[in-house]
């Protein structure tokens, strides 16, 4: 899963633990030990989500949140706090946090919540711009290109067409006949052509073409594409 998270947390071990779990999912993390340091990072880099501790030395999490929102930044903010009253206050007074996790937390649960937020943002962006992202790939369905980690990959037209059809409804299984009809614009022909092209795509896009992560075989017959984060 793609995304960069800023962790503002004065306890190094907690930040390390969060980073460990998020990095495992492919999410990048940056850590600031104080609110001031965090604000500087927020201004100098782009983040997809902020994990914010409330009880910090110097300016506390409330102030950080107010300053962030004061600047009109709409970055999702997840509060991580040990004090129930902090959580009540944030959720009750609408200071502008999107979610909270109380300490002590399960790193697994925290990681799942972060991923849910990142997924939500990515889906929004995707719907607006007709982009489909899966793993390191980004498919622009309007401008007909595929990029891997920002670099354009050239695919033969039929392979690209297959991707375009599959990504119209990710997770929906397309029968070979249907793919054949849409991509080859013909109802009669050798259906193995479809599987041959699927194999070629897998060879190019999948780390392990025998165990595809994105271009999956549907039960019965047919194929579907999935964003592939396995959750
Ligand atoms: Ca703290």
């Amino acid at each position: 899963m793609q995304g960069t998270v800023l962790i503002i947390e004065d306890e190094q071990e907690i930040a390390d633990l969060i980073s460990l779990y998020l990095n495992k999912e492919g999410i990048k993390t940056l850590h600031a030990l104080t609110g001031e340091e965090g604000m500087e990072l927020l201004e100098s880099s782009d983040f997809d989500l902020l994990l914010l501790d409330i009880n910090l030395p110097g300016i506390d999490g409330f102030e950080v949140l107010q300053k962030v929102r004061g600047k009109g930044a709409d970055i999702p903010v997840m509060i991580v706090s040990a004090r129930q009253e902090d959580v009540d206050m944030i959720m009750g007074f609408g200071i502008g946090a999107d979610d909270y996790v109380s300490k002590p937390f399960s790193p697994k649960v925290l990681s799942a919540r972060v991923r849910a937020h990142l997924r939500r943002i990515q889906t929004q962006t995707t719907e607006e711009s007709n982009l489909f992202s899966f793993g390191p790939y980004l498919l622009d369905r309007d401008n007909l290109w595929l990029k891997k980690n920002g670099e354009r990959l050239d695919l033969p037209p039929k392979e690209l067409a297959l991707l375009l059809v599959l990504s119209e409804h990710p997770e929906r299984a397309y029968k070979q006949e249907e793919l054949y009809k849409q991509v080859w614009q013909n109802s009669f022909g050798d259906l193995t052509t479809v599987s041959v092209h699927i194999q070629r795509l897998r060879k190019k896009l999948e780390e392990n073409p025998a165990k595809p992560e994105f271009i999956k075989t549907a039960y019965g017959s047919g194929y579907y594409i999935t964003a592939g984060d396995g959750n």
Side-chain angles (χ1 to χ4, degrees), residues 10 18 20 24 30 35 53 56 62 68 86 90 93 104 122 153 157-158 163 165 188 213 218:
D10 61 327
I18 297 174
L20 182 78
K24 263 202 311 210
L30 245 82
D53 181 24
L56 295 164
F62 290 120
V68 168
D86 289 345
I90 288 157
F93 290 86
Q122 281 164 10
L153 288 180
K158 295 294 183 206
L163 270 186
V165 173
F188 307 99
E213 199 183 338

Side-chain angles (χ1 to χ4, degrees), residues 9-11 53 55 103:
E9 167 64 69
D10 61 327
E11 283 168 82
D53 181 24
N55 190 14
K103 287 180 179 173

